[in-house]
Amino acid sequence: MVNAGQQSADKQRQIPYAIVTNEGESDVRGAVVVAESGHWKGKLKADIVVVAGRFEGDITAREKIEVLNGAHINGNLACPNIAMETGAIHDGRLSMHSKLSHFEEKREAGV
């Protein structure tokens, strides 16, 4: 777990799951969750990235990115799969780098 405010000097960490407020560049094996009160500034590469708070920088996910209601991302996103809730803000580019193998409609009819 990366504690709130901890600086990231290393380039790669083996963290199965982390709730973070961080600054720097990291390459994580596992999932990273930027908590609702969290703030990340820098580049992040991880298997799965969930953003509920603020993120300033680029995110690359090997599996997926989830952007929750109330999240604010200022930076580019690259991933094979993405889910973005209503109310999330993303200011940047999105690059999807895989083919869709299955799609399951999750929206309610008429939305």
Side-chain angles (χ1 to χ4, degrees), residues 18-69:
I19 299 175
V20 300
T21 297
N22 200 40
E23 187 170 323
E25 183 175 333
S26 291
D27 186 340
V28 178
R29 294 288 176 195
V32 173
V33 176
V34 178
E36 190 174 331
S37 61
H39 181 242
W40 185 292
K41 187 173 183 178
K43 291 184 179 182
L44 173 62
K45 186 175 198 177
D47 296 329
I48 298 168
V49 179
V50 179
V51 180
R54 294 189 58 82
F55 196 103
E56 296 179 63
D58 297 338
I59 300 172
T60 301
R62 289 179 276 275
E63 295 178 29
K64 68 178 177 176
I65 295 173
E66 295 182 28
V67 187
L68 305 182
N69 178 15

Side-chain angles (χ1 to χ4, degrees), residues 70-105:
H72 186 215
I73 299 174
N74 185 8
N76 300 320
L77 306 177
C79 59
N81 298 293
I82 189 165
M84 188 172 292
E85 291 184 350
T86 301
I89 297 170
H90 171 231
D91 183 12
R93 298 174 74 183
L94 172 62
S95 174
M96 304 282 293
H97 52 263
S98 79
K99 294 180 181 177
L100 183 64
S101 60
H102 173 74
F103 177 79
E104 182 179 338
E105 180 62 64

